[in-house]
DNA sequence: ACATTAAGTGATT
DNA sequence: AATCACTTAATGT
């Protein structure tokens, strides 16, 4: 398992000494599907790096309305958690395990040191920050400028990509909740997509063509 | 066979 | 695009 992480970290371009430090100082955390990792208002004490599985990152308001932002997949780090920790702030995000997942939790205290000590780590963090930022911008675009049917299609394609599978095992209600709309709307749009032969509908399952 | 949950649909705002 | 009200279909007990 930690071999898997090790090769991944080296692939990313981190030097051996740093990889060793990461391996020696983090801890493994296994999460089961649908387990919440963090909610707004909580404080993160470690930065998660995804070894396997995927995390779903969402925004959530006080009433429990939520909106899907992006997925974190194998090899990616939740760089956003750094900003909230460094400034001793509360999390602005909600993270849930989209599938069973293995995470490598790196204590925040070390992030600072490593950024100073290893230029490869600084680059890694800045790059992943950039990626998250880009995804957030995409999400703003899609919420502000796209119609619900385009948003839904984007959602389906995102999901397909993140799981490398054409099968999406979710109910219309779950999708509606993540996109912060109603089930009826999703059902109708999905039906339309099915007529356009972009997807196939089954109970609890959607097949992207 | 019956109850429960998911999905489909017309009508209205 | 949201909501209501209702139907139909799939699944669990």
């Amino acid at each position: 398992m930690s071999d898997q992480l090790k090769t991944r970290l080296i692939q990313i371009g981190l030097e051996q000494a740093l990889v060793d430090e990461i391996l020696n100082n983090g801890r493994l955390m296994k999460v089961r599907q649908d387990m919440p990792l963090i909610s707004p208002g909580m404080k993160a004490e470690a930065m998660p790096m995804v070894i396997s599985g995927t995390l779903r990152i969402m925004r959530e308001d006080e009433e429990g309305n939520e909106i899907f932002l992006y997925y974190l997949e194998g090899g990616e780090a939740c760089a956003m958690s750094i900003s909230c920790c460094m400034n001793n702030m509360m999390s602005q995000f909600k993270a849930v395990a989209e599938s069973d997942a293995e995470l490598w939790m790196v204590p925040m205290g070390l992030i600072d040191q490593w950024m100073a000590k290893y230029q490869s780590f600084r680059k890694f963090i800045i790059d992943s920050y950039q990626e998250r930022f880009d995804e957030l911008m995409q999400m703003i675009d899609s919420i502000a400028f796209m119609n619900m049917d385009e948003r839904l299609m984007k959602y389906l394609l995102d999901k397909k990509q993140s799981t490398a599978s054409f099968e999406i095992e979710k109910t219309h209600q779950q999708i509606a909740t993540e996109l912060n709309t109603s089930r009826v709307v999703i059902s109708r749009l999905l039906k339309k997509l099915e007529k356009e032969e972009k997807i196939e509908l089954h109970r609890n399952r959607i097949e992207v063509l």
Side-chain angles (χ1 to χ4, degrees):
Chain A
M1 184 293 311
S2 78
D3 287 346
Q4 196 185 339
L5 177 63
K6 190 169 183 172
T7 25
R8 188 101 74 175
L9 292 175
I10 289 170
Q11 270 171 7
I12 288 169
L14 304 184
E15 56 256 68
Q16 188 65 50
L18 172 58
V19 172
D20 288 340
E21 280 207 65
I22 293 175
L23 259 30
N24 290 333
N25 289 289
R27 70 188 170 85
L28 178 69
M29 184 170 159
K30 291 191 179 194
V31 285
R32 307 236 292 148
Q33 185 169 23
D34 295 327
M35 264 201 186
L37 264 145
I38 195 161
S39 305
M42 291 171 63
K43 204 177 167 307
E45 83 303 343
M47 177 185 80
M49 301 178 76
V50 181
I51 301 170
S52 67
T54 104
L55 303 182
R56 183 171 80 241
I57 312 299
M58 286 161 301
R59 196 91 234 274
E60 191 186 47
D61 71 6
E62 309 76 38
E63 282 105 57
N65 295 314
E66 60 183 47
I67 189 158
F68 166 73
L69 295 177
Y70 53 79
Y71 291 118
L72 276 182
E73 291 151 49
E76 298 183 316
C78 184
M80 290 292 167
S81 62
I82 298 173
S83 65
C84 110
C85 270
M86 283 204 186
N87 305 319
N88 216 352
M89 285 170 58
M90 301 299 160
S91 172
Q92 301 291 111
F93 298 99
K94 178 182 179 184
V96 177
E98 177 77 2
S99 64
D100 289 357
E102 292 174 310
L103 311 174
W104 193 253
M105 306 299 286
V106 181
M108 281 296 167
L110 294 169
I111 305 280
D112 234 358
Q113 292 172 226
W114 292 345
M115 291 234 285
K117 194 164 160 192
Y118 303 98
Q119 96 290 344
S120 68
F121 191 70
R122 191 167 63 243
K123 179 168 176 359
F124 170 65
I125 294 297
I126 291 174
D127 284 354
S128 50
Y129 224 94
Q130 181 67 44
E131 279 171 42
R132 294 311 125 214
F133 191 84
D134 287 346
E135 300 212 52
L136 285 176
M137 291 313 272
Q138 269 190 43
M139 213 48 215
I140 289 177
D141 286 350
S142 97
I143 294 168
F145 307 128
M146 288 165 69
N147 298 323
M148 201 34 133
D149 56 346
E150 298 173 289
R151 277 183 68 194
L152 178 59
M153 200 60 220
K154 172 171 156 45
Y155 173 89
L156 295 174
L157 293 175
D158 274 2
K159 174 71 180 164
K160 182 184 115 182
Q161 179 138 43
S162 85
T163 55
S165 158
F166 292 87
E167 310 270 296
I168 296 171
E169 297 200 344
K170 281 186 186 276
T171 66
H172 299 183
Q173 181 59 66
Q174 287 176 305
I175 297 172
T177 305
E178 288 179 36
L179 296 181
N180 195 33
T181 178
S182 70
R183 192 225 96 214
V184 191
V185 170
I186 295 298
S187 290
R188 288 210 165 102
L189 293 174
L190 285 172
K191 202 72 201 166
K192 201 179 85 187
L193 289 172
E194 189 181 38
K195 289 212 178 85
E196 294 167 6
E197 301 190 314
K198 290 178 179 163
I199 60 171
E200 251 175 54
L201 296 175
H202 314 271
R203 189 185 170 94
N204 288 325
R205 187 164 62 88
I206 297 166
E207 195 176 336
V208 181
L209 303 176

